[in-house]
Amino acid sequence: MSEQQPELRWAPIPPKPKNSGRVWLIVALSVVALAIVGALLFFLLPRGTATPDDTPSPAPSSTPTATRTATPTPTAPPSPDPVVTPPPVADPDLDAFRDQVGPWLGDALTGLDIVSESNGQDALSVLDTLQEDAQLLSGALPPASIGAQWRDGVSAYSQRLRDVRAAVDAGSDTARAVDAAASAVGELNLLVGR
């Protein structure tokens, strides 16, 4: 008792259905969504500041007045809008500045230790964080008494971090570059009294 096997025949594969209708529907819906967002922005965003001339004037009264001749009144020339200047930025004191930058400087030394003990992608991810912190250090407003030294020190530290990254990218020994970066951080710590 043998089962009959069905006869196998080769047939062409049916063509895939075309999705051009779906693509056009998605494009059309995207365009409509952008148009709606544009219209909302146009109607909801303020268009400028109001000036005293933009305020509506009271409507003239409908009752007749007894005066037949109007005497012109001299008008003063419009005064220019006052120039608003931001108040001068207060010079931070050294203690407040030290408190602001202290965590970034502490993290710099810890991060450099991690970089010296790791390599490849692990070291690069720590270096990315250290370079972001260096950007924050350069954006911090130092007291005027140490302003020039602070900017020079942060610039030197940023350069040392680029040297460390170059050593990691090249797969070479990073000890010398890490030591130079740690030395730059040490100078910044001394500058702020940490």
Side-chain angles (χ1 to χ4, degrees), residues 53-129:
D53 297 324
D54 292 343
T55 58
S57 61
S61 64
S62 62
T63 60
T65 60
T67 332
R68 291 188 177 199
T69 60
T71 58
T73 58
T75 58
S79 62
D81 291 334
V83 177
V84 179
T85 58
V89 178
D91 190 32
D93 76 337
L94 188 58
D95 292 334
F97 184 69
R98 181 184 315 118
D99 292 342
Q100 178 187 2
V101 299
W104 297 321
L105 292 174
D107 289 347
L109 292 174
T110 304
L112 289 170
D113 286 341
I114 293 171
V115 168
S116 67
E117 296 170 358
S118 58
N119 55 26
Q121 191 58 40
D122 294 334
L124 289 175
S125 65
V126 174
L127 277 170
D128 288 339
T129 304

Side-chain angles (χ1 to χ4, degrees), residues 9 16 18 30 78 81 96-97 99 103 113 124 134 138 153 156 159 161 174 181 183:
R9 293 186 184 193
K16 290 175 78 174
K18 293 187 177 184
S30 300
D81 291 334
F97 184 69
D99 292 342
D113 286 341
L124 289 175
S138 70
Q159 179 57 48
L161 286 177
T174 59
S183 175

